[in-house]
Amino acid sequence: ISERDERQIAQDFSIRNHNDIPRLQEAASRHAGQVASVCGPMGWGDMEVLVTRLQDRITAGAQEEILCLTSIPMIGAVRARVLYTAGYRTPEAILKMSPKKLASVLESCRGSKGGEMRAAKTILQGARRLCEEQRRAVREESEAKLRELEQLPDIDEDDEGGATDTDDGDE
């Protein structure tokens, strides 16, 4: 998946109207999701993960390294690439930027039409929400693992090397 201008893609693939590209992109993403949903029940978990990741890339129209940035509202492939190239590679890095700095980075995007300060504030809010959601998910996962560990039986310290009291018939 290349991050290319829609007009260039339309020309390269003889698509009459570059406005058809988002529709084709959505269809390709949907098909990838269907393939992934078949892989799981067939026991192809690794393939399911790969195809799901491909689906994410198709949806974003982006390379792997900028996917985490495209999860932020108002950041598509073009803005994500600009931010990544400028050294801002994660939502956490975006949060450390001031609205003014983010707006100045966004101004270098192709097709920039003004309104970058408003976009920067919305992006910062989205990045904050995304980071909070990620932290909450990690916390919940950690708490679930802790509950699992608490359910395990205690290890008897008097037990040498983990041997059990079961009779194995070697007397």
Side-chain angles (χ1 to χ4, degrees), residues 4-75:
R4 295 179 27 207
D5 182 64
E6 289 180 1
R7 293 178 198 280
Q8 185 63 45
I9 294 169
Q11 182 181 346
D12 290 350
F13 292 95
S14 301
I15 299 170
R16 292 182 189 180
N17 186 348
H18 73 88
N19 293 323
D20 289 339
I21 303 242
R23 182 182 52 77
L24 295 168
Q25 185 177 2
E26 181 185 343
S29 176
R30 189 173 46 254
H31 290 302
Q34 291 167 343
V35 170
S37 69
V38 169
C39 290
M42 293 183 75
W44 300 343
D46 291 343
M47 183 62 74
E48 179 182 20
V49 170
L50 289 172
V51 175
T52 299
R53 200 65 183 166
L54 176 63
Q55 180 185 19
D56 294 342
R57 288 184 56 205
I58 292 169
T59 299
Q63 296 287 327
E64 182 76 27
E65 69 262 16
I66 64 171
L67 276 182
C68 66
L69 294 176
T70 63
S71 300
I72 301 170
M74 295 191 69
I75 296 185

Side-chain angles (χ1 to χ4, degrees), residues 135-149:
R135 283 188 205 106
R136 188 172 22 261
V138 167
R139 186 179 326 109
E140 289 172 2
E141 185 178 334
S142 296
E143 289 170 353
K145 297 264 186 216
L146 182 59
R147 285 190 295 276
E148 283 179 33
L149 288 173

Side-chain angles (χ1 to χ4, degrees), residues 82-83 86 88 97 100-109:
V82 167
L83 289 162
Y88 303 99
M97 298 175 79
K100 187 175 182 178
K101 175 65 178 168
L102 179 54
S104 72
V105 172
L106 294 177
E107 285 175 0
S108 66
C109 291

